[in-house]
Amino acid sequence: GIQVEQSPPDLILQEGANSTLRCNFSDSVNNLQWFHQNPWGQLINLFYIPSGTKQNGRLSATTVATERYSLLYISSSQTTDSGVYFCAAGTASKLTFGTGTRLQVTL
Amino acid sequence: DTEVTQTPKHLVMGMTNKKSLKCEQHMGHRAMYWYKQKAKKPPELMFVYSYEKLSINESVPSRFSPECPNSSLLNLHLHALQPEDSALYLCASSQEARGETQYFGPGTRLLVL
């Protein structure tokens, strides 16, 4: 099956800093999504982005499908951005989640 | 409304018990999913239902039995579970099962004693 790798595994930022999270996947996909899991376990969908670039407030994402990677940019980070960020990739309804990037934003 | 609800929030059960997890969505979505998430691990797909029919079963043991009584409701029946089945069980839905945005519920934290 498809392999999904994320980097870095852990990230500590001061409030206001910017960061880039990376997701590499091993096969062609037509479904790629980024999620944020808060400390209570709730998964929030950030982007559905099998290709191209999208922006939503302080977050943006880019997927280069031909090179099999996706990037999530977080600008002007806030403490509420803390949690685990997952990339999930696959075909149609079958998503494989990466191992995640655990982000801690400190004051 | 992009809400998926799950009940119960927490569940403790013995290995001989039978229990059920419930998931509901009222977004008109025709695809629903069960995922399992162990502590500090990513979610893993268990089952996919499309138009109330099981379309994907990721080789899940038969002690987990999914059911989709109608397009808004998804159940997961549990029987004779093992302690290693303790996990967060997440339900999700999407418009169709062709690769659209998935919306997740808050999950049920299951402890098997």
mmCIF file of all heavy atoms in Angstrom, chain A residues 30-31 33 35 37 39-43 45 48 86 92-95 97-99 102, chain B residues 33 35 37 42-43 45 48 56 58 88 90 97-102 104-106 109:
data_model
loop_
_atom_site.group_PDB
_atom_site.id
_atom_site.type_symbol
_atom_site.label_atom_id
_atom_site.label_comp_id
_atom_site.label_asym_id
_atom_site.label_seq_id
_atom_site.Cartn_x
_atom_site.Cartn_y
_atom_site.Cartn_z
ATOM 1 N N ASN A 30 -5.100 10.593 -5.797
ATOM 2 C CA ASN A 30 -6.093 11.581 -6.221
ATOM 3 C C ASN A 30 -6.840 12.148 -5.024
ATOM 4 O O ASN A 30 -7.856 12.829 -5.179
ATOM 5 C CB ASN A 30 -7.062 10.998 -7.251
ATOM 6 C CG ASN A 30 -7.881 9.849 -6.688
ATOM 7 O OD1 ASN A 30 -7.870 9.575 -5.493
ATOM 8 N ND2 ASN A 30 -8.579 9.153 -7.561
ATOM 9 N N ASN A 31 -6.342 11.846 -3.844
ATOM 10 C CA ASN A 31 -6.958 12.334 -2.615
ATOM 11 C C ASN A 31 -5.842 12.650 -1.624
ATOM 12 O O ASN A 31 -5.078 11.747 -1.252
ATOM 13 C CB ASN A 31 -7.912 11.269 -2.047
ATOM 14 C CG ASN A 31 -8.753 11.790 -0.891
ATOM 15 O OD1 ASN A 31 -8.542 12.889 -0.386
ATOM 16 N ND2 ASN A 31 -9.705 10.986 -0.480
ATOM 17 N N GLN A 33 -5.309 15.110 1.962
ATOM 18 C CA GLN A 33 -5.954 16.002 2.923
ATOM 19 C C GLN A 33 -4.994 16.259 4.085
ATOM 20 O O GLN A 33 -4.210 15.391 4.458
ATOM 21 C CB GLN A 33 -7.266 15.382 3.432
ATOM 22 C CG GLN A 33 -8.227 15.049 2.283
ATOM 23 C CD GLN A 33 -9.594 14.590 2.703
ATOM 24 O OE1 GLN A 33 -10.114 14.999 3.737
ATOM 25 N NE2 GLN A 33 -10.213 13.739 1.883
ATOM 26 N N PHE A 35 -5.007 17.452 8.156
ATOM 27 C CA PHE A 35 -5.859 17.529 9.326
ATOM 28 C C PHE A 35 -5.052 18.066 10.509
ATOM 29 O O PHE A 35 -3.834 17.858 10.595
ATOM 30 C CB PHE A 35 -6.391 16.142 9.717
ATOM 31 C CG PHE A 35 -7.285 15.498 8.699
ATOM 32 C CD1 PHE A 35 -6.749 14.688 7.706
ATOM 33 C CD2 PHE A 35 -8.652 15.676 8.741
ATOM 34 C CE1 PHE A 35 -7.560 14.077 6.765
ATOM 35 C CE2 PHE A 35 -9.481 15.069 7.807
ATOM 36 C CZ PHE A 35 -8.929 14.271 6.822
ATOM 37 N N GLN A 37 -5.228 17.610 14.660
ATOM 38 C CA GLN A 37 -5.861 16.909 15.780
ATOM 39 C C GLN A 37 -5.551 17.664 17.061
ATOM 40 O O GLN A 37 -4.376 17.815 17.427
ATOM 41 C CB GLN A 37 -5.401 15.459 15.884
ATOM 42 C CG GLN A 37 -6.210 14.649 16.906
ATOM 43 C CD GLN A 37 -5.988 13.167 16.770
ATOM 44 O OE1 GLN A 37 -4.876 12.703 16.552
ATOM 45 N NE2 GLN A 37 -7.064 12.385 16.909
ATOM 46 N N PRO A 39 -5.688 18.479 21.284
ATOM 47 C CA PRO A 39 -5.337 17.604 22.416
ATOM 48 C C PRO A 39 -6.489 16.715 22.889
ATOM 49 O O PRO A 39 -6.243 15.730 23.583
ATOM 50 C CB PRO A 39 -4.915 18.603 23.500
ATOM 51 C CG PRO A 39 -4.433 19.791 22.732
ATOM 52 C CD PRO A 39 -5.330 19.882 21.537
ATOM 53 N N TRP A 40 -7.718 17.013 22.536
ATOM 54 C CA TRP A 40 -8.859 16.200 22.942
ATOM 55 C C TRP A 40 -9.198 15.132 21.902
ATOM 56 O O TRP A 40 -10.141 14.380 22.079
ATOM 57 C CB TRP A 40 -10.074 17.099 23.181
ATOM 58 C CG TRP A 40 -9.812 18.053 24.302
ATOM 59 C CD1 TRP A 40 -10.020 17.861 25.628
ATOM 60 C CD2 TRP A 40 -9.207 19.356 24.182
ATOM 61 N NE1 TRP A 40 -9.605 18.966 26.333
ATOM 62 C CE2 TRP A 40 -9.111 19.894 25.477
ATOM 63 C CE3 TRP A 40 -8.767 20.134 23.101
ATOM 64 C CZ2 TRP A 40 -8.572 21.158 25.732
ATOM 65 C CZ3 TRP A 40 -8.233 21.381 23.355
ATOM 66 C CH2 TRP A 40 -8.144 21.874 24.659
ATOM 67 N N GLY A 41 -8.428 15.082 20.828
ATOM 68 C CA GLY A 41 -8.599 14.023 19.843
ATOM 69 C C GLY A 41 -9.415 14.391 18.626
ATOM 70 O O GLY A 41 -9.519 13.600 17.686
ATOM 71 N N GLN A 42 -10.022 15.557 18.607
ATOM 72 C CA GLN A 42 -10.847 15.956 17.472
ATOM 73 C C GLN A 42 -9.981 16.253 16.244
ATOM 74 O O GLN A 42 -9.034 17.041 16.325
ATOM 75 C CB GLN A 42 -11.679 17.193 17.831
ATOM 76 C CG GLN A 42 -12.490 17.755 16.679
ATOM 77 C CD GLN A 42 -13.687 16.901 16.331
ATOM 78 O OE1 GLN A 42 -14.565 16.687 17.154
ATOM 79 N NE2 GLN A 42 -13.752 16.419 15.093
ATOM 80 N N LEU A 43 -10.308 15.604 15.146
ATOM 81 C CA LEU A 43 -9.624 15.832 13.878
ATOM 82 C C LEU A 43 -10.396 16.868 13.072
ATOM 83 O O LEU A 43 -11.581 16.669 12.779
ATOM 84 C CB LEU A 43 -9.553 14.537 13.070
ATOM 85 C CG LEU A 43 -8.368 13.622 13.284
ATOM 86 C CD1 LEU A 43 -8.626 12.278 12.661
ATOM 87 C CD2 LEU A 43 -7.100 14.225 12.699
ATOM 88 N N ASN A 45 -10.510 18.975 9.507
ATOM 89 C CA ASN A 45 -9.984 19.018 8.154
ATOM 90 C C ASN A 45 -9.521 20.432 7.825
ATOM 91 O O ASN A 45 -10.287 21.389 7.966
ATOM 92 C CB ASN A 45 -11.056 18.569 7.169
ATOM 93 C CG ASN A 45 -10.490 18.335 5.791
ATOM 94 O OD1 ASN A 45 -10.095 19.266 5.101
ATOM 95 N ND2 ASN A 45 -10.430 17.079 5.393
ATOM 96 N N TYR A 48 -8.388 20.021 1.593
ATOM 97 C CA TYR A 48 -8.486 18.936 0.623
ATOM 98 C C TYR A 48 -7.697 19.431 -0.576
ATOM 99 O O TYR A 48 -8.116 20.398 -1.228
ATOM 100 C CB TYR A 48 -9.943 18.656 0.260
ATOM 101 C CG TYR A 48 -10.095 17.741 -0.921
ATOM 102 C CD1 TYR A 48 -9.865 16.371 -0.786
ATOM 103 C CD2 TYR A 48 -10.454 18.225 -2.170
ATOM 104 C CE1 TYR A 48 -9.998 15.526 -1.874
ATOM 105 C CE2 TYR A 48 -10.598 17.390 -3.256
ATOM 106 C CZ TYR A 48 -10.365 16.041 -3.108
ATOM 107 O OH TYR A 48 -10.493 15.207 -4.187
ATOM 108 N N PHE A 86 -1.700 15.960 10.642
ATOM 109 C CA PHE A 86 -1.614 14.760 9.824
ATOM 110 C C PHE A 86 -1.861 15.098 8.369
ATOM 111 O O PHE A 86 -2.757 15.869 8.036
ATOM 112 C CB PHE A 86 -2.676 13.734 10.246
ATOM 113 C CG PHE A 86 -2.423 13.060 11.560
ATOM 114 C CD1 PHE A 86 -3.181 13.356 12.678
ATOM 115 C CD2 PHE A 86 -1.429 12.081 11.678
ATOM 116 C CE1 PHE A 86 -2.967 12.722 13.887
ATOM 117 C CE2 PHE A 86 -1.201 11.440 12.889
ATOM 118 C CZ PHE A 86 -1.979 11.765 13.990
ATOM 119 N N ALA A 92 -9.416 7.683 -4.139
ATOM 120 C CA ALA A 92 -10.854 7.665 -3.812
ATOM 121 C C ALA A 92 -11.039 7.790 -2.309
ATOM 122 O O ALA A 92 -10.518 8.697 -1.682
ATOM 123 C CB ALA A 92 -11.500 6.409 -4.380
ATOM 124 N N SER A 93 -11.753 6.844 -1.689
ATOM 125 C CA SER A 93 -12.107 6.992 -0.281
ATOM 126 C C SER A 93 -11.077 6.384 0.665
ATOM 127 O O SER A 93 -11.198 6.526 1.877
ATOM 128 C CB SER A 93 -13.459 6.324 -0.024
ATOM 129 O OG SER A 93 -13.401 4.961 -0.381
ATOM 130 N N LYS A 94 -10.061 5.724 0.133
ATOM 131 C CA LYS A 94 -9.120 5.014 0.987
ATOM 132 C C LYS A 94 -7.915 5.888 1.297
ATOM 133 O O LYS A 94 -7.033 6.062 0.464
ATOM 134 C CB LYS A 94 -8.681 3.722 0.289
ATOM 135 C CG LYS A 94 -7.885 2.796 1.166
ATOM 136 C CD LYS A 94 -7.666 1.461 0.491
ATOM 137 C CE LYS A 94 -6.783 0.577 1.333
ATOM 138 N NZ LYS A 94 -6.560 -0.737 0.702
ATOM 139 N N LEU A 95 -7.902 6.451 2.507
ATOM 140 C CA LEU A 95 -6.823 7.329 2.932
ATOM 141 C C LEU A 95 -5.861 6.597 3.857
ATOM 142 O O LEU A 95 -6.287 5.872 4.760
ATOM 143 C CB LEU A 95 -7.380 8.530 3.682
ATOM 144 C CG LEU A 95 -8.008 9.654 2.866
ATOM 145 C CD1 LEU A 95 -8.528 10.741 3.809
ATOM 146 C CD2 LEU A 95 -7.036 10.236 1.865
ATOM 147 N N PHE A 97 -2.941 7.621 6.575
ATOM 148 C CA PHE A 97 -2.430 8.766 7.323
ATOM 149 C C PHE A 97 -0.928 8.631 7.520
ATOM 150 O O PHE A 97 -0.407 7.528 7.750
ATOM 151 C CB PHE A 97 -3.110 8.842 8.691
ATOM 152 C CG PHE A 97 -4.468 9.485 8.659
ATOM 153 C CD1 PHE A 97 -5.545 8.845 8.058
ATOM 154 C CD2 PHE A 97 -4.680 10.730 9.235
ATOM 155 C CE1 PHE A 97 -6.803 9.435 8.016
ATOM 156 C CE2 PHE A 97 -5.931 11.329 9.207
ATOM 157 C CZ PHE A 97 -6.990 10.678 8.592
ATOM 158 N N GLY A 98 -0.240 9.768 7.461
ATOM 159 C CA GLY A 98 1.158 9.815 7.861
ATOM 160 C C GLY A 98 1.274 9.761 9.375
ATOM 161 O O GLY A 98 0.271 9.793 10.092
ATOM 162 N N THR A 99 2.509 9.702 9.860
ATOM 163 C CA THR A 99 2.744 9.568 11.305
ATOM 164 C C THR A 99 2.581 10.884 12.048
ATOM 165 O O THR A 99 2.597 10.900 13.266
ATOM 166 C CB THR A 99 4.130 8.998 11.591
ATOM 167 O OG1 THR A 99 5.081 9.741 10.829
ATOM 168 C CG2 THR A 99 4.211 7.530 11.205
ATOM 169 N N ARG A 102 4.010 16.694 15.462
ATOM 170 C CA ARG A 102 3.487 17.215 16.730
ATOM 171 C C ARG A 102 4.040 18.620 16.923
ATOM 172 O O ARG A 102 5.251 18.801 17.046
ATOM 173 C CB ARG A 102 3.893 16.309 17.883
ATOM 174 C CG ARG A 102 3.256 16.678 19.226
ATOM 175 C CD ARG A 102 3.561 15.605 20.275
ATOM 176 N NE ARG A 102 2.985 14.321 19.902
ATOM 177 C CZ ARG A 102 1.753 13.918 20.184
ATOM 178 N NH1 ARG A 102 0.954 14.716 20.852
ATOM 179 N NH2 ARG A 102 1.326 12.737 19.812
ATOM 180 N N TYR B 33 -17.293 6.279 7.373
ATOM 181 C CA TYR B 33 -16.045 5.559 7.641
ATOM 182 C C TYR B 33 -15.895 5.285 9.136
ATOM 183 O O TYR B 33 -16.313 6.096 9.971
ATOM 184 C CB TYR B 33 -14.842 6.422 7.230
ATOM 185 C CG TYR B 33 -14.910 7.023 5.852
ATOM 186 C CD1 TYR B 33 -15.709 8.136 5.589
ATOM 187 C CD2 TYR B 33 -14.154 6.493 4.807
ATOM 188 C CE1 TYR B 33 -15.757 8.697 4.319
ATOM 189 C CE2 TYR B 33 -14.197 7.061 3.533
ATOM 190 C CZ TYR B 33 -15.008 8.153 3.305
ATOM 191 O OH TYR B 33 -15.054 8.706 2.045
ATOM 192 N N TYR B 35 -12.553 4.581 11.654
ATOM 193 C CA TYR B 35 -11.110 4.530 11.825
ATOM 194 C C TYR B 35 -10.815 4.135 13.272
ATOM 195 O O TYR B 35 -11.580 4.444 14.180
ATOM 196 C CB TYR B 35 -10.476 5.911 11.601
ATOM 197 C CG TYR B 35 -10.419 6.385 10.167
ATOM 198 C CD1 TYR B 35 -11.516 7.007 9.577
ATOM 199 C CD2 TYR B 35 -9.261 6.248 9.416
ATOM 200 C CE1 TYR B 35 -11.459 7.476 8.269
ATOM 201 C CE2 TYR B 35 -9.192 6.719 8.105
ATOM 202 C CZ TYR B 35 -10.301 7.324 7.553
ATOM 203 O OH TYR B 35 -10.233 7.793 6.258
ATOM 204 N N GLN B 37 -7.659 4.578 16.168
ATOM 205 C CA GLN B 37 -6.433 5.313 16.460
ATOM 206 C C GLN B 37 -5.904 4.897 17.823
ATOM 207 O O GLN B 37 -6.520 5.190 18.854
ATOM 208 C CB GLN B 37 -6.657 6.823 16.403
ATOM 209 C CG GLN B 37 -5.367 7.611 16.571
ATOM 210 C CD GLN B 37 -5.551 9.115 16.454
ATOM 211 O OE1 GLN B 37 -6.649 9.634 16.644
ATOM 212 N NE2 GLN B 37 -4.477 9.821 16.132
ATOM 213 N N PRO B 42 -1.148 7.306 14.097
ATOM 214 C CA PRO B 42 -2.153 7.907 13.199
ATOM 215 C C PRO B 42 -3.414 7.064 13.119
ATOM 216 O O PRO B 42 -3.381 5.868 13.436
ATOM 217 C CB PRO B 42 -1.421 7.923 11.849
ATOM 218 C CG PRO B 42 -0.432 6.815 11.937
ATOM 219 C CD PRO B 42 -0.005 6.737 13.379
ATOM 220 N N PRO B 43 -4.504 7.665 12.697
ATOM 221 C CA PRO B 43 -5.724 6.872 12.471
ATOM 222 C C PRO B 43 -5.498 5.831 11.371
ATOM 223 O O PRO B 43 -4.775 6.074 10.402
ATOM 224 C CB PRO B 43 -6.749 7.923 12.026
ATOM 225 C CG PRO B 43 -6.225 9.218 12.530
ATOM 226 C CD PRO B 43 -4.737 9.100 12.483
ATOM 227 N N LEU B 45 -7.679 3.230 8.766
ATOM 228 C CA LEU B 45 -8.990 2.932 8.208
ATOM 229 C C LEU B 45 -9.413 1.505 8.552
ATOM 230 O O LEU B 45 -8.617 0.570 8.441
ATOM 231 C CB LEU B 45 -8.948 3.108 6.688
ATOM 232 C CG LEU B 45 -10.261 2.911 5.939
ATOM 233 C CD1 LEU B 45 -11.289 3.966 6.342
ATOM 234 C CD2 LEU B 45 -10.015 2.935 4.441
ATOM 235 N N VAL B 48 -15.336 1.265 5.141
ATOM 236 C CA VAL B 48 -15.963 2.337 4.378
ATOM 237 C C VAL B 48 -17.325 1.855 3.902
ATOM 238 O O VAL B 48 -17.435 0.742 3.360
ATOM 239 C CB VAL B 48 -15.132 2.750 3.147
ATOM 240 C CG1 VAL B 48 -15.842 3.872 2.375
ATOM 241 C CG2 VAL B 48 -13.738 3.192 3.547
ATOM 242 N N ILE B 56 -15.371 -1.124 1.666
ATOM 243 C CA ILE B 56 -14.002 -1.461 2.044
ATOM 244 C C ILE B 56 -14.005 -2.037 3.459
ATOM 245 O O ILE B 56 -14.613 -1.473 4.363
ATOM 246 C CB ILE B 56 -13.066 -0.226 1.998
ATOM 247 C CG1 ILE B 56 -12.922 0.287 0.560
ATOM 248 C CG2 ILE B 56 -11.697 -0.567 2.579
ATOM 249 C CD1 ILE B 56 -12.055 1.542 0.436
ATOM 250 N N GLU B 58 -10.879 -3.327 5.798
ATOM 251 C CA GLU B 58 -9.427 -3.447 5.820
ATOM 252 C C GLU B 58 -8.978 -4.635 6.676
ATOM 253 O O GLU B 58 -8.177 -4.489 7.597
ATOM 254 C CB GLU B 58 -8.802 -2.145 6.328
ATOM 255 C CG GLU B 58 -8.911 -0.995 5.357
ATOM 256 C CD GLU B 58 -8.008 -1.167 4.157
ATOM 257 O OE1 GLU B 58 -6.844 -0.746 4.195
ATOM 258 O OE2 GLU B 58 -8.492 -1.733 3.149
ATOM 259 N N LEU B 88 -8.984 4.985 20.379
ATOM 260 C CA LEU B 88 -9.967 6.001 20.016
ATOM 261 C C LEU B 88 -10.588 5.564 18.688
ATOM 262 O O LEU B 88 -9.862 5.334 17.707
ATOM 263 C CB LEU B 88 -9.289 7.358 19.870
ATOM 264 C CG LEU B 88 -10.166 8.545 19.445
ATOM 265 C CD1 LEU B 88 -11.182 8.893 20.534
ATOM 266 C CD2 LEU B 88 -9.283 9.766 19.139
ATOM 267 N N LEU B 90 -12.858 6.554 15.614
ATOM 268 C CA LEU B 90 -13.293 7.765 14.937
ATOM 269 C C LEU B 90 -14.212 7.414 13.775
ATOM 270 O O LEU B 90 -13.945 6.502 13.001
ATOM 271 C CB LEU B 90 -12.081 8.526 14.397
ATOM 272 C CG LEU B 90 -11.140 9.108 15.445
ATOM 273 C CD1 LEU B 90 -9.776 9.399 14.845
ATOM 274 C CD2 LEU B 90 -11.726 10.371 16.044
ATOM 275 N N ALA B 97 -17.907 8.497 -1.974
ATOM 276 C CA ALA B 97 -16.717 7.697 -1.663
ATOM 277 C C ALA B 97 -15.751 7.733 -2.836
ATOM 278 O O ALA B 97 -15.122 6.740 -3.166
ATOM 279 C CB ALA B 97 -17.122 6.275 -1.343
ATOM 280 N N ARG B 98 -15.633 8.912 -3.469
ATOM 281 C CA ARG B 98 -14.751 9.038 -4.626
ATOM 282 C C ARG B 98 -13.530 9.885 -4.317
ATOM 283 O O ARG B 98 -12.757 10.179 -5.207
ATOM 284 C CB ARG B 98 -15.524 9.650 -5.804
ATOM 285 C CG ARG B 98 -16.655 8.784 -6.303
ATOM 286 C CD ARG B 98 -17.443 9.475 -7.394
ATOM 287 N NE ARG B 98 -18.016 10.729 -6.934
ATOM 288 C CZ ARG B 98 -18.914 11.424 -7.625
ATOM 289 N NH1 ARG B 98 -19.316 10.997 -8.798
ATOM 290 N NH2 ARG B 98 -19.382 12.559 -7.143
ATOM 291 N N GLY B 99 -13.389 10.296 -3.042
ATOM 292 C CA GLY B 99 -12.210 11.072 -2.671
ATOM 293 C C GLY B 99 -12.511 12.524 -2.393
ATOM 294 O O GLY B 99 -11.907 13.405 -2.987
ATOM 295 N N GLU B 100 -13.433 12.783 -1.490
ATOM 296 C CA GLU B 100 -13.769 14.154 -1.119
ATOM 297 C C GLU B 100 -13.324 14.426 0.319
ATOM 298 O O GLU B 100 -12.861 13.533 1.028
ATOM 299 C CB GLU B 100 -15.285 14.397 -1.223
ATOM 300 C CG GLU B 100 -15.858 14.265 -2.623
ATOM 301 C CD GLU B 100 -16.217 12.845 -2.965
ATOM 302 O OE1 GLU B 100 -16.114 11.957 -2.110
ATOM 303 O OE2 GLU B 100 -16.593 12.607 -4.128
ATOM 304 N N THR B 101 -13.517 15.657 0.749
ATOM 305 C CA THR B 101 -13.186 16.038 2.110
ATOM 306 C C THR B 101 -13.907 15.136 3.098
ATOM 307 O O THR B 101 -15.105 14.897 2.985
ATOM 308 C CB THR B 101 -13.610 17.497 2.360
ATOM 309 O OG1 THR B 101 -12.927 18.335 1.431
ATOM 310 C CG2 THR B 101 -13.276 17.921 3.774
ATOM 311 N N GLN B 102 -13.127 14.631 4.069
ATOM 312 C CA GLN B 102 -13.711 13.807 5.126
ATOM 313 C C GLN B 102 -13.878 14.641 6.389
ATOM 314 O O GLN B 102 -12.951 15.345 6.802
ATOM 315 C CB GLN B 102 -12.841 12.578 5.402
ATOM 316 C CG GLN B 102 -12.865 11.589 4.244
ATOM 317 C CD GLN B 102 -12.165 10.279 4.560
ATOM 318 O OE1 GLN B 102 -11.941 9.928 5.713
ATOM 319 N NE2 GLN B 102 -11.816 9.539 3.518
ATOM 320 N N PHE B 104 -14.701 14.491 10.440
ATOM 321 C CA PHE B 104 -14.589 13.529 11.522
ATOM 322 C C PHE B 104 -15.450 13.911 12.716
ATOM 323 O O PHE B 104 -15.621 15.096 13.037
ATOM 324 C CB PHE B 104 -13.132 13.420 11.987
ATOM 325 C CG PHE B 104 -12.302 12.539 11.111
ATOM 326 C CD1 PHE B 104 -11.819 12.992 9.900
ATOM 327 C CD2 PHE B 104 -12.008 11.236 11.496
ATOM 328 C CE1 PHE B 104 -11.058 12.169 9.077
ATOM 329 C CE2 PHE B 104 -11.247 10.406 10.689
ATOM 330 C CZ PHE B 104 -10.769 10.876 9.473
ATOM 331 N N GLY B 105 -15.955 12.891 13.404
ATOM 332 C CA GLY B 105 -16.585 13.076 14.693
ATOM 333 C C GLY B 105 -15.541 13.166 15.792
ATOM 334 O O GLY B 105 -14.343 12.973 15.535
ATOM 335 N N PRO B 106 -15.982 13.425 17.029
ATOM 336 C CA PRO B 106 -15.042 13.597 18.146
ATOM 337 C C PRO B 106 -14.454 12.293 18.665
ATOM 338 O O PRO B 106 -13.497 12.313 19.435
ATOM 339 C CB PRO B 106 -15.900 14.256 19.228
ATOM 340 C CG PRO B 106 -17.283 13.815 18.906
ATOM 341 C CD PRO B 106 -17.357 13.696 17.426
ATOM 342 N N ARG B 109 -13.636 6.974 23.060
ATOM 343 C CA ARG B 109 -12.450 6.371 23.699
ATOM 344 C C ARG B 109 -12.877 5.075 24.362
ATOM 345 O O ARG B 109 -13.694 5.089 25.271
ATOM 346 C CB ARG B 109 -11.849 7.323 24.731
ATOM 347 C CG ARG B 109 -11.201 8.518 24.104
ATOM 348 C CD ARG B 109 -10.298 9.291 25.034
ATOM 349 N NE ARG B 109 -9.764 10.466 24.360
ATOM 350 C CZ ARG B 109 -8.677 10.467 23.604
ATOM 351 N NH1 ARG B 109 -8.004 9.355 23.432
ATOM 352 N NH2 ARG B 109 -8.252 11.581 23.024
#
